[in-house]
Amino acid sequence: MSGQASRRDILGGLLVAFALAPTAALAQTGGGEGSGGPPTVAPDLPGTLAKFPDLDAWIRIGADGRVTVFTGKVELGTGVKTAMAQLAADELDVAIGRVDLITADTALTPNEGVTAGSQTLEQSGTAIANAAACVRLLLAETAAARWGVAATTLFTRDGVVLDGQGRRASYAELAASTSLAVRARADVPRKPVAARRLIGRPVPRVDLPAKLTGLPSYVQDMRLPDMVHARVLRGPSSGTRLTPDLAALRRQPGVARVVEVGRFAAIVGPREWPLEQALRVANQGAWTRDAGVPALPPMPAGLLEMRRESSVIDTRRDASAAPGVRRLSARYDRPYLMHGAIGPSCAVALMAEGQLTVWTHSQGVEPLRTAIAELVAMPADRVRCVHREGAGCYGHNGADDVAGDAALIACAMPGVPVRLQWSREQEHGWEPLGPAMLAQIDATLDASGRIVDWRHQVWSNTHSTRPVAAGDLLAGVEVVPPFAPTPPKPIPQPNGGGDRNAIPLYRFANQSIVSHFLPDMPVRVSALRGLGAHLNIFALESAMDELAAAAGRDPVAFRLAHLDDPRAADVIRRAAARFGWSRYRPRPNRGRGIAFARYKNHGAYCAVALDVERIPDEGRLVVHRAVVAVDSGEAVNPDGIRNQVEGGVLQSLSWTAYESAGHDGARRTDYDWSGYPILRFADVPHSVVVEVIDRPGTPFLGTGECAQGPTAAALANALAAATGVRIRSMPLAGGLAAHS
Amino acid sequence: MIDLTVNGATARVDVDPATPLLYVLRDDLRLHAAKFGCGLGQCGACTVLVDDRPVFACLLPVGAVGARTVTTVEGLGSAAAPGDVQRAFLHEQAAQCGYCIPGMIARAEGLLRKTVTPTETELRSAMAPSLCRCGTHMRILRAVRRAAVMRGGGVVEPAEPVT
Ligand code: FES
Ligand code: FES
């Protein structure tokens, strides 16, 4: 990665650039998660083709036969680059090695909003697969016209169109006389499943050889000529402000410059280490709590006392249902959680010739561009945001903020590339946390042991403060006069934010689901992988186990008895069978637990079974085995799905069992990995098995977040089975220790 | 001026001897495998080998390296010709974001230089100083077991058998 690659370098000079839609058409819808981007203009086309229907927005073929694929989505470590290359190569019929992928770059790629919500393959993957199928057909039609035959008599093989009689023409030569600046057709069939060579196969990740051998792969690795380093000066955590001694910092060795814009301050110098030392000096300055930040009530009960906007998001009434005879009423909660990227946020920015370029690991380069343009008072078309990978983020962390910071510094130093690296302490202190949440479930069983009434209420802040305007960036409220943050709003169903997955997939006679949206944010919060699904599924699936026990039913059979979606039943049965559910031998302090969800009720189906032991006296827990069954619809890359789900299971075990981000009312209390411990090798399961149920020819179902909720509930359920103690508050290991 | 032996070659750098080795590797020698993760010796993203032993490059002052040899992941192989531990990681597709992985590879290399027949418990405790937030642990462990076999050994005392 050269980082300074110009548009021409990136394209190798071989491809003509396509005209981007005018900026006005790119207005952000914003505030959402994984949506955004321009309006739909071609509703008959699938995925994001509906917004960018022209083929050359997605695919171009060079004179050397190389295929360049453009996606507005980004690689977050989930392997989507590989999946997209598979889709394009298979549908086009070229070797995967011939495909180059350009990911989110406001100057080059379709505006696909934010890469979030496990929607990348549904939106971008669907667009690319269908665009590739169209391009293949157009190339064949060019050959057909040239040879005077019907296109249907031709076939393709690895970048060549053939007529079976010895005539052949390469894609490269056909592309020279085939315009791709045309609308995709809605009626072009995808390749038949039996003819696929790459889709559905565990193709190795295209990006790993570079990453595993130390080739520069991350924004943190960018080193531009004459680049300077920067460190930003802030109080200990979000909601505080620092009064650094700027005069002393100017005298500090290695500090070439102090950039001050209102309250925003940063130090700049040629080398990193002296800046690190200067940062320590700066951090000795006094800090105060920002005025106007709401007080933090005691958690989690304080959530019930906060100002709220309540809405019934789902309701069902069946007057003929049998009366309830037994009742469960229980509260479940989780604390604030950190994203905790292993690499603290970083960005590189360069202001040159009136154009600001920002290299960023943001999940949404387009909304970020809008926010930065406002921050630095430049027209959006003079600002370019280019995605460069960072460490895994799992949601909205410091990525956007650091990009805003770097942009502000770069504008103060035209012509000089600036690399800004946040410290570990800054990432822990300033990243938006996953919101603390509380859910209450009230349910009744009829005399036959069926659930007849179900009420689920959830209290939560917003799950997205992703930037759509300057005031949403940390720097935006530090400049003077400050920009106003966008008021928080709930993410509507069917995706949902705090109420994501609050609506059960089970069939209950009567149900009422209530979302209590809490607009006041005492602690900075935003999207964390799975959003509200983590707590809602924890609550729902814990309650299902509690009700199964009350009804005297096996947890697997009890769930199946309340489901009428065969794919849901399938993942539960497969997980149970692979786990050996019916053969399981209970032992003292050891138990099994299962839980299920369909992510967002329209993404991947996932069931998780765990075998868990409590180590008496130590109050410690050991997860012996995790067995997962997942149905992602058509599995583009089964190993990629397994990798995501394994990771999701381990991450959710870490969140659910061990994590809690502290706050003492004035500031956060955890600034490094000693204050905020996460799962380590010593605590990972002995084995994790993920079974992928492939459904070729069916739509892709978002998978990246599907394991977070089921894992959390399966852990609580297994612990209850092992110990007889039902823990409804995360972190569960804390509750376990309290009962030991 | 400080002389270093990195990946078998000598390098001379003109920096404050208190500078952590990590910044010298990344900023002066343009070796980017070792990553900045915390600067506190808590995450292992910066792990490199100094005379066969894994160390936190974010803590080790470059002036304290002395005559000892430094090996980074670049010294273990390249994308075109990956070394055995790298091949094992590729075989297991042991990465999600990959940010922690060079540190994991360096740590695994350190373990295997000590013994190619570690127990599972030794394997897990050798890897313990390194954090992975993506939850790639199971694949990382598989990759190190595979690398041990590639070196003529293997990890004994496997994890509890799967029923
Ligand atoms: S960066 Fe060295 S241990 Fe974290
Ligand atoms: S693979 Fe992302 S931190 Fe380990």
Side-chain angles (χ1 to χ4, degrees):
Chain A
M1 180 182 65
S2 80
Q4 29 172 355
S6 69
R7 182 168 171 154
R8 229 191 61 201
D9 294 336
I10 289 172
L11 298 179
L14 294 167
L15 301 161
V16 270
F18 73 100
L20 282 167
T23 312
L26 300 177
Q28 293 300 319
T29 53
E33 187 235 18
S35 51
T40 293
V41 294
D44 57 323
L45 293 174
T48 323
L49 271 176
K51 297 177 176 211
F52 290 88
D54 288 353
L55 293 174
D56 68 349
W58 301 95
I59 292 175
R60 277 172 270 163
I61 297 176
D64 57 356
R66 290 201 70 80
V67 175
T68 306
V69 174
F70 300 82
T71 170
K73 300 290 186 181
V74 305
E75 177 65 79
L76 301 172
T78 60
V80 296
K81 257 184 158 168
T82 308
M84 306 235 211
Q86 284 175 261
L87 289 168
D90 212 347
E91 292 292 347
L92 261 174
D93 227 346
V94 299
I96 195 167
R98 279 199 218 214
V99 174
D100 300 312
L101 216 71
I102 307 277
T103 58
D105 177 335
T106 56
L108 299 174
T109 59
N111 173 1
E112 293 194 85
V114 178
T115 303
S118 301
Q119 297 175 123
T120 297
L121 288 187
E122 291 174 45
Q123 297 173 349
S124 201
T126 301
I128 287 167
N130 283 281
C134 284
V135 170
R136 175 169 164 270
L137 180 67
L138 290 184
L139 295 170
E141 284 175 353
T142 301
R146 197 178 282 181
W147 298 333
V149 297
T152 47
T153 65
L154 302 178
F155 56 98
T156 58
R157 186 186 302 140
D158 191 16
V160 179
V161 179
L162 306 112
D163 70 350
Q165 329 270 315
R167 273 189 297 202
R168 43 188 293 139
S170 73
Y171 285 6
E173 56 178 300
L174 294 168
S177 47
T178 308
S179 172
L180 298 184
V182 295
R183 223 167 217 249
R185 293 187 213 158
D187 57 348
V188 176
R190 300 259 318 270
K191 228 186 204 183
V193 170
R196 294 179 183 169
R197 298 162 297 108
L198 295 166
I199 299 169
R201 305 277 160 84
V203 172
R205 286 261 301 264
V206 295
D207 51 336
L208 291 193
K211 288 173 179 165
L212 270 50
T213 55
L215 290 175
S217 302
Y218 302 91
V219 70
Q220 285 91 342
D221 299 338
M222 287 182 66
R223 298 292 181 277
L224 302 185
D226 303 317
M227 186 182 84
V228 294
H229 292 276
R231 295 294 183 269
V232 65
L233 310 180
R234 291 210 162 92
S237 66
S238 168
T240 68
R241 59 177 66 182
L242 181 73
T243 317
D245 183 347
L246 296 182
L249 283 170
R250 286 198 178 86
R251 294 191 300 270
Q252 191 66 25
V255 175
R257 190 160 167 191
V258 174
V259 173
E260 248 191 296
V261 187
R263 279 201 302 114
F264 174 90
I267 49 177
V268 177
R271 300 195 60 87
E272 294 197 80
W273 176 240
L275 290 179
E276 291 286 332
Q277 291 168 293
L279 187 60
R280 276 171 217 183
V281 172
N283 286 341
Q284 286 156 15
W287 63 269
T288 51
R289 174 115 169 121
D290 265 344
V293 181
L296 179 68
M299 287 287 154
L303 293 168
L304 299 169
E305 310 304 323
M306 289 166 65
R307 186 165 69 95
R308 63 180 183 239
E309 296 160 12
S310 302
S311 51
V312 177
I313 57 167
D314 189 73
T315 181
R316 186 183 308 153
R317 278 282 149 246
D318 177 358
S320 68
V325 296
R326 306 182 68 171
R327 180 179 174 81
L328 169 79
S329 184
R331 278 187 189 160
Y332 305 84
D333 60 80
R334 80 162 198 188
Y336 292 104
L337 295 175
M338 262 179 213
H339 299 80
I342 292 297
S345 294
C346 180
V348 176
L350 171 63
M351 176 73 179
E353 290 154 23
Q355 161 105 16
L356 174 64
T357 306
V358 182
W359 290 269
T360 168
H361 55 107
S362 166
Q363 289 175 272
V365 292
E366 302 278 351
L368 177 63
R369 169 168 76 162
T370 309
I372 287 179
E374 188 184 4
L375 176 70
V376 300
M378 286 173 65
D381 61 3
R382 307 301 295 167
V383 178
R384 176 181 179 188
C385 290
V386 185
H387 184 261
R388 286 283 183 266
E389 288 178 55
C393 62
Y394 332 106
H396 177 197
N397 67 357
D400 298 283
D401 297 308
V402 77
D405 296 347
L408 215 47
I409 302 167
C411 286
M413 326 184 46
V416 182
V418 175
R419 174 182 176 277
L420 172 60
Q421 170 73 67
W422 274 13
S423 68
R424 169 50 52 201
E425 295 85 345
Q426 287 173 332
E427 187 75 28
H428 267 56
W430 289 87
E431 66 142 283
L433 301 177
M437 297 176 65
L438 191 148
Q440 159 126 5
I441 291 186
D442 296 281
T444 56
L445 292 166
D446 67 13
S448 75
R450 275 193 78 81
I451 297 169
V452 282
D453 287 295
W454 182 271
R455 181 172 166 85
H456 180 134
Q457 300 179 77
V458 57
W459 288 259
S460 177
N461 277 152
T462 182
H463 285 253
S464 178
T465 58
R466 292 184 187 278
V468 292
D472 306 325
L473 297 169
L474 290 178
V477 294
E478 292 169 341
V479 295
V480 175
F483 292 91
T486 308
K489 55 175 196 270
I491 300 171
Q493 292 286 338
N495 289 338
D499 53 7
R500 179 166 295 180
N501 276 98
I503 302 172
L505 207 67
Y506 298 107
R507 290 292 158 237
F508 303 140
N510 297 300
Q511 80 181 20
S512 159
I513 313 299
V514 183
S515 181
H516 301 291
F517 175 73
L518 313 177
D520 298 329
M521 295 177 287
V523 172
R524 184 175 197 228
V525 294
S526 194
L528 172 67
R529 193 178 191 181
L531 310 194
H534 178 234
L535 189 266
N536 288 317
I537 295 167
F538 174 76
L540 195 171
E541 287 290 301
S542 294
M544 284 301 282
D545 251 46
E546 296 183 63
L547 290 161
R553 300 287 303 274
D554 172 78
V556 170
F558 187 72
R559 284 176 170 80
L560 294 175
H562 286 90
L563 278 172
D564 57 12
D565 180 334
R567 290 172 74 172
D570 242 22
V571 289
I572 294 175
R573 285 203 191 94
R574 296 281 271 272
R578 186 85 182 252
F579 181 85
W581 187 262
S582 51
R583 299 193 306 275
Y584 188 84
R585 262 182 321 115
R587 278 153 279 191
N589 285 305
R590 188 152 167 184
R592 62 185 176 175
I594 195 164
F596 153 82
R598 181 180 191 190
Y599 185 54
K600 298 193 283 188
N601 291 346
H602 58 82
Y605 296 85
C606 178
V608 177
L610 298 177
D611 176 8
V612 177
E613 183 173 7
R614 164 174 66 174
I615 309 297
D617 308 327
E618 295 174 45
R620 202 163 61 82
L621 64 92
V622 174
V623 179
H624 289 278
R625 292 187 295 129
V627 176
V628 186
V630 60
D631 170 356
S632 304
E634 169 146 40
V636 178
N637 189 325
D639 191 58
I641 291 172
R642 277 193 289 273
N643 201 357
Q644 276 307 288
V645 172
E646 285 171 27
V649 168
L650 264 59
Q651 190 177 67
S652 181
L653 287 175
S654 184
W655 293 354
T656 309
Y658 305 113
E659 298 181 26
S660 170
H663 201 285
D664 66 10
R667 62 166 175 167
R668 296 185 191 175
T669 52
D670 309 317
Y671 294 99
D672 57 35
W673 298 118
S674 67
Y676 191 84
I678 60 172
L679 190 76
R680 288 178 177 266
F681 279 99
D683 297 311
V684 301
H686 292 304
S687 77
V688 179
V689 175
V690 178
E691 187 170 319
V692 176
I693 301 172
D694 191 5
R695 307 235 184 238
T698 65
F700 310 133
L701 302 179
T703 300
E705 303 163 278
C706 72
Q708 311 307 107
T711 303
L715 182 61
N717 293 341
L719 283 172
T723 66
V725 179
R726 170 60 58 178
I727 307 169
R728 302 193 184 94
S729 283
M730 300 182 212
L732 303 186
L736 190 66
H739 285 98
S740 290
Chain B
M1 286 293 177
I2 295 169
D3 289 315
L4 292 170
T5 309
V6 180
N7 298 335
T10 55
R12 170 165 291 200
V13 289
D14 181 13
V15 297
D16 172 1
T19 307
L21 175 62
L22 180 64
Y23 295 115
V24 173
L25 294 174
R26 291 179 58 82
D27 293 340
D28 296 278
L29 305 181
R30 301 289 166 100
L31 295 170
H32 294 288
K35 301 283 188 276
F36 174 77
C38 66
L40 304 164
Q42 293 181 348
C43 75
C46 63
T47 304
V48 299
L49 294 169
V50 175
D51 273 356
D52 299 338
R53 300 253 302 263
V55 302
F56 298 128
C58 70
L59 294 184
L60 181 68
V62 65
V65 175
R68 293 180 290 169
T69 61
V70 176
T71 307
T72 72
V73 161
E74 287 94 337
L76 301 178
S78 62
D84 56 356
V85 180
Q86 289 161 328
R87 286 202 306 278
F89 273 70
L90 285 168
H91 187 96
E92 299 293 346
Q93 291 286 291
Q96 289 180 62
C97 76
Y99 197 89
C100 69
I101 299 295
M104 298 286 180
I105 291 175
R107 194 163 293 283
E109 177 74 27
L111 171 68
L112 296 176
R113 284 186 184 182
K114 209 166 75 178
T115 172
V116 293
T117 54
T119 64
E120 180 72 20
T121 310
E122 285 167 349
L123 165 60
R124 291 187 182 215
S125 63
M127 300 306 292
S130 288
L131 296 177
C132 173
R133 187 54 162 167
C134 293
T136 315
H137 303 72
M138 308 312 294
R139 286 172 183 243
I140 294 167
L141 293 171
R142 281 208 294 276
V144 187
R145 289 187 206 116
R146 173 174 292 275
V149 172
M150 289 161 78
R151 291 219 180 150
V155 174
V156 290
E157 180 217 316
E160 174 158 318
V162 177
T163 49

